[in-house]
Amino acid sequence: MPFVELNKPVPDFEAAATGDQTIRLDDLKGRNVVIYFYPKDNTPGCTTEGQDFRDRMKQFEELDTEILGVSRDGLKAHENFRAKHEFPFHLISDKDEALCKLFDVIKLKKLYGKEYMGIDRSTFLIDQEGALRAQWRGVKVKGHADEVLEAVKGL
């Protein structure tokens, strides 16, 4: 499957999410969708990023926008992470990396001198018609949710 491209329709996908949900992109047509990929539940940056989206959820909802978080963690870890921080949006478990591959977010990373393949913190904005309208790669958490909110307002 090819990678997503800016201003092109995003292929439909189906993924397991918190709340015993199966998320299908086609089911979200008619709403804007923000999908943010993050490395790992309960780590400082990922927690802050989720909280920033949570704290702006009312504004996103007013703009008819769904938020979805994605990492390779399992659903049990996601449920705990979501409950602990009261995230009002669902978290998708992408253990097989199907979504990560579609959005091309798996990159070579380094930590303490060791190299590994991990998720490059990235966010994607899909419009009501299902086309990719904005993408942020190599995201720095501070101010990011506000930047995404502004982009949604611009649709």
Side-chain angles (χ1 to χ4, degrees):
M1 184 176 278
F3 301 131
V4 295
E5 288 182 63
L6 211 49
N7 299 316
K8 298 267 172 79
V10 174
D12 187 30
F13 61 78
E14 190 172 287
T18 51
D20 205 23
Q21 298 285 311
T22 298
I23 304 288
R24 286 192 63 232
L25 187 59
D26 279 357
D27 292 344
L28 299 173
K29 282 229 169 95
R31 300 195 73 200
N32 301 309
V33 181
V34 171
I35 301 177
Y36 77 95
F37 289 82
Y38 63 96
K40 189 147 185 58
D41 290 346
N42 288 306
T43 55
C46 300
T47 299
T48 299
E49 185 176 24
Q51 290 169 336
D52 287 350
F53 279 115
R54 175 199 67 200
D55 295 347
R56 288 153 185 80
M57 194 65 198
K58 187 171 178 358
Q59 293 165 279
F60 279 108
E61 285 174 344
E62 287 168 358
L63 297 166
D64 206 15
T65 303
E66 184 92 21
I67 307 276
L68 298 169
V70 182
S71 82
R72 299 183 296 183
D73 293 298
L75 285 173
K76 188 173 184 341
H78 274 352
E79 291 289 2
N80 293 336
F81 185 46
R82 183 176 180 230
K84 181 178 179 180
H85 299 287
E86 300 177 354
F87 295 153
F89 48 82
H90 288 290
L91 301 176
I92 292 173
S93 175
D94 194 31
K95 281 183 167 278
D96 66 358
E97 299 180 357
L99 278 183
C100 289
K101 288 175 181 154
L102 175 63
F103 285 87
D104 191 26
V105 299
I106 300 291
K107 302 290 179 211
L108 183 65
K109 300 176 98 178
K110 284 185 182 178
L111 184 65
Y112 305 120
K114 291 194 191 276
E115 291 186 339
Y116 66 99
M117 297 305 283
I119 292 180
D120 181 40
R121 190 181 308 277
S122 305
T123 302
F124 301 86
L125 173 56
I126 301 166
D127 71 9
Q128 296 179 355
E129 316 297 302
L132 180 63
R133 294 299 175 201
Q135 60 184 347
W136 297 264
R137 295 179 182 273
V139 166
K140 301 290 180 246
V141 173
K142 188 171 172 54
H144 178 61
D146 287 327
E147 194 178 341
V148 175
L149 186 58
E150 287 306 309
V152 173
K153 287 177 183 175
L155 288 179

